[in-house]
Amino acid sequence: MQIRTATLEDLDRVSEVEARCFPPAEAATRAEFRERLACYPGHFWLLEEEGRLVSFVNGMVTDEPHLTDEMYARAMLHRESGAWQMIFGVNTLPEFRRRGLAGLLLRRAISDARAQGRKGLVLTCKEALVSYYGGFGFVDEGLSPSEHGGAVWHEMRLTF
């Protein structure tokens, strides 16, 4: 297995994995991924097994302390020198789940954010995943104002 950051050449594979991991209302579109990959490819962590993309984590960097719905749609809000690494998605193909792959990628994203001098990382998740992310040091800050995909989200923060 290999972890690497993305390039625009990964667009189709990233889009396909996302479509298998999230309901249509929550999944990023190919166009959104194109914009994200153009703005911040170094904030996509891809895990490949024998050349096949099986899991990835992605998100932008900002000085804003809270993850907003606008960030999902407007990649140009990314600020490479920002204080907070936002995590938009943690994706693992269903047939590769429960092997710790997402955890490997999250630990890499956390390590990279620390090495880059960030204050920490922020993500949103559904109630069922609060304890999972808590295991990585994220603290539940309560319900997020996000209405992304029509779901109810908890904002989780890991502060260094």
Side-chain angles (χ1 to χ4, degrees), residues 89-155:
V90 178
N91 298 263
T92 301
L93 290 173
E95 62 270 28
F96 287 89
R97 291 181 183 158
R98 304 209 182 280
R99 296 187 193 179
L101 304 181
L104 289 172
L105 290 171
L106 282 169
R107 283 188 284 282
R108 174 67 177 272
I110 292 166
S111 174
D112 286 359
R114 182 177 277 122
Q116 294 162 358
R118 312 275 181 229
K119 288 183 179 179
L121 298 90
V122 178
L123 58 82
T124 59
C125 69
K126 294 176 182 168
E127 177 81 31
L129 291 170
V130 167
S131 64
Y132 174 76
Y133 292 112
F136 294 93
F138 286 86
V139 175
D140 184 3
E141 295 186 333
L143 294 180
S144 166
S146 174
E147 297 176 349
H148 182 73
V152 175
W153 302 97
H154 285 253
E155 185 164 80

Side-chain angles (χ1 to χ4, degrees), residues 29-115:
T29 66
R30 188 175 190 282
E32 288 168 330
F33 276 129
R34 178 185 299 281
E35 186 178 355
R36 292 177 190 180
L37 286 166
C39 290
Y40 47 87
H43 298 275
F44 276 73
W45 294 270
L46 311 181
L47 191 145
E48 297 173 319
E49 182 175 89
E50 298 179 6
R52 180 180 181 195
L53 179 62
V54 299
S55 186
F56 76 93
V57 168
N58 77 104
M60 66 180 285
V61 178
T62 180
D63 284 320
E64 296 297 321
H66 300 286
L67 198 158
T68 66
D69 289 348
E70 182 182 26
M71 292 175 186
Y72 291 111
R74 298 189 58 217
M76 73 285 298
L77 295 174
H78 171 77
R79 297 291 173 258
E80 188 59 38
S81 63
W84 296 99
Q85 173 68 60
M86 299 293 161
I87 300 295
F88 292 162
V90 178
N91 298 263
T92 301
L93 290 173
E95 62 270 28
F96 287 89
R97 291 181 183 158
R98 304 209 182 280
R99 296 187 193 179
L101 304 181
L104 289 172
L105 290 171
L106 282 169
R107 283 188 284 282
R108 174 67 177 272
I110 292 166
S111 174
D112 286 359
R114 182 177 277 122

